Amino acid sequence: MEYLPLFIDLKNRPVLVVGGGIVAARKIKILQRVGAMITIIAPTLCTELKKVLFKQNISWIEKKFQPIMLDKVILVIVTTNNAKLNALIYQNAEKRHILINTVDDKNKCSCIFPAIIDRDPILIGISSCGTAPILVRILREKFESLLPKSLGFLSKLAGIWRSRVRQHIVDVVLRRRFWEKIFYNGHIATLIEQGRPEEANKVFKYTLNNDVGNNNKKGNVTLVGAGPGDIGLLTIRGLQVMQQADVILYDYLVNSEILDLARKDANKICVGKRVGDHSMSQKELNQFIVRLAQKGNKVVRLKGGDSFVFGRGGEELEIISKAGISFQVVPGITAGIGVTAYAGIPLTHRKYAHSVVFMTGHNANGDNQVNWAALSDYQRTLIIYMGKINALNIRNNLIIHGRSINTPVAVISRGTYQNQKILIGTLIDLEKLTRIADYPSLLVIGDVVSLHSQMHWFGQKALNYCPTYLIAHSM
């Protein structure tokens, strides 16, 4: 191990920064956060440093560096591009056994700055000892996505209650179990993640006074929208709760690569529905979720797209709420937004569409449940989920109520995946396009579809332009 990782208390301790540019400003910003007494040696200062110059614990000496300036300093940071000056400072710092960091020159450093993940008071430093800074940046991004912002408050609350927990729970094993099962991975942590610190404090007090030694823990449920397919469209928050879950109940539409991001020991159960293939009824599923949570599990209900957009998330939460189970919702990118973006089709455009309607094709069978007259506005984009079966009824009703047969349409299957397929035609072609489209498919109806040829950016362009579309849009 080339370097010993240490956390140093610099509050009210003297630190010298040589250089007045933007690099110095970045280092000084970090030093300010820990309360160091900062002296800057530089002939001039950048604009950012001038803004903070007269703040507490920052002074500027507009002179050339002299070795005597290192006296009574415990750390010096060198940010200049003057090699001779940097060497002089390093030699004098070494003679005085003062820690020195020379930016971008490992050979003139006795200490280095790691990449910092700050969840105060939780701090994580990542370093490659100067060998691979880009890799360190990538690792930092990954850790940032894994650690919730509430982690710091959770740690502070634990610090406040630590001595009282030790008094209440003398047995070391029981005390460890309390922190692991009830506090850090239980209902209290969930409340803090939801931004309910006062309630978390109350639950903590009650649990400590009444439930110590009780092995039963309260479960909870989180509805997570997994997005339309591409693993990169899963939200950071969705990833975080998945990695805490004991049980994940997922739909057929969820990308298997997203499931691989869950805890390896999590129980993953498919509860999806397809036409003619329901693993369980919605009523059975609702009760199943409740039973799992009542047994103390952290349950994630993972749905394709967004839970509240044709995902029956509202129905499930009604039952969960009535059962008195704690819950939260992590929104996802619904297919109507994600799939169309990947197809290069904007949903609104000042020239082509002033509004957009999201609807399901299940009820598009000609009855009075659908206001076809309103949907036939030529400046309204229609996004139709699950529309393959009733495509013929959708086409006929829109035409009957005034929508032009030459209205551009797109049928997009496997949207946001590498094998995404886009079929484009006109409204009169809609039923034909859905017959040759793969499952699952999203129907897009409106003049904005014609922008695909200009705005396509992901995967292949539309594969099968129907003849009627080419004729109607070649004039």
Side-chain angles (χ1 to χ4, degrees), residues 358-375:
F358 295 88
M359 61 180 289
T360 173
H362 282 168
N363 296 324
N365 53 9
D367 56 25
N368 294 323
Q369 292 183 350
V370 180
N371 186 348
W372 293 107
L375 297 178

Side-chain angles (χ1 to χ4, degrees), residues 78-306:
V78 183
T79 66
T80 81
N81 55 11
N82 185 329
K84 289 185 178 180
L85 175 60
N86 294 353
L88 175 66
I89 299 171
Y90 175 73
Q91 290 165 7
N92 281 275
E94 286 288 275
K95 286 179 183 178
R96 290 166 170 79
H97 304 291
I98 296 171
L99 291 174
I100 180 170
N101 174 260
T102 305
V103 176
D104 291 334
D105 191 347
K106 181 183 174 184
N107 293 326
K108 293 183 177 61
C109 291
S110 58
C111 66
I112 57 177
F113 277 73
I116 299 171
I117 296 122
D118 185 0
R119 299 290 186 273
D120 183 38
I122 302 295
L123 297 173
I124 298 174
I126 308 173
S127 175
S128 66
C129 298
T131 61
I134 301 301
L135 177 60
V136 168
R137 178 178 60 78
I138 293 170
L139 289 174
R140 182 193 172 200
E141 290 172 357
K142 290 183 181 294
F143 277 106
E144 285 282 5
S145 69
L146 293 175
L147 301 174
K149 296 295 183 183
S150 60
L151 194 63
F153 185 85
L154 187 67
S155 178
K156 289 177 183 177
L157 185 61
I160 292 170
W161 285 93
R162 188 177 179 186
S163 60
R164 188 166 177 181
V165 170
R166 184 176 293 163
Q167 292 172 5
H168 272 67
I169 313 174
V170 178
D171 185 274
V172 175
V173 175
L174 285 178
R175 190 161 65 236
R176 185 185 301 119
R177 186 179 302 160
F178 172 84
W179 286 116
E180 290 178 354
K181 300 289 186 180
I182 298 176
F183 188 81
Y184 292 120
N185 290 304
H187 185 47
I188 294 168
T190 300
L191 289 171
I192 291 174
E193 290 169 5
Q194 294 174 355
R196 298 153 67 185
E198 292 182 4
E199 191 174 343
N201 233 324
K202 291 178 182 178
V203 172
F204 192 105
K205 291 179 183 178
Y206 178 86
T207 304
L208 189 60
N209 293 326
N210 298 280
D211 289 351
V212 172
N214 184 356
N215 289 327
N216 293 325
K217 60 174 181 174
K218 290 185 178 181
N220 55 72
V221 178
T222 305
L223 299 189
V224 177
D230 184 350
I231 188 172
L233 297 182
L234 176 70
T235 65
I236 291 174
R237 181 68 185 139
L239 174 62
Q240 289 171 347
V241 296
M242 278 181 59
Q243 292 178 334
Q244 298 171 11
D246 301 308
V247 182
I248 296 177
L249 307 178
Y250 66 93
D251 290 341
Y252 286 119
L253 294 178
V254 174
N255 187 342
S256 61
E257 292 181 8
I258 290 177
L259 290 172
D260 291 339
L261 298 174
R263 264 174 43 193
K264 299 305 178 186
D265 59 339
N267 189 10
K268 306 176 189 70
I269 304 171
C270 181
V271 293
K273 302 176 182 66
R274 287 175 176 155
V275 178
D277 180 14
H278 289 198
S279 53
M280 63 177 70
S281 69
Q282 187 63 49
K283 184 177 180 180
E284 291 172 331
L285 175 56
N286 294 343
Q287 295 304 320
F288 185 47
I289 297 172
V290 169
R291 288 197 303 272
L292 287 171
Q294 287 174 336
K295 290 179 180 178
N297 292 296
K298 298 190 80 168
V299 181
V300 163
R301 177 69 177 97
L302 190 63
K303 298 169 177 283
D306 178 80

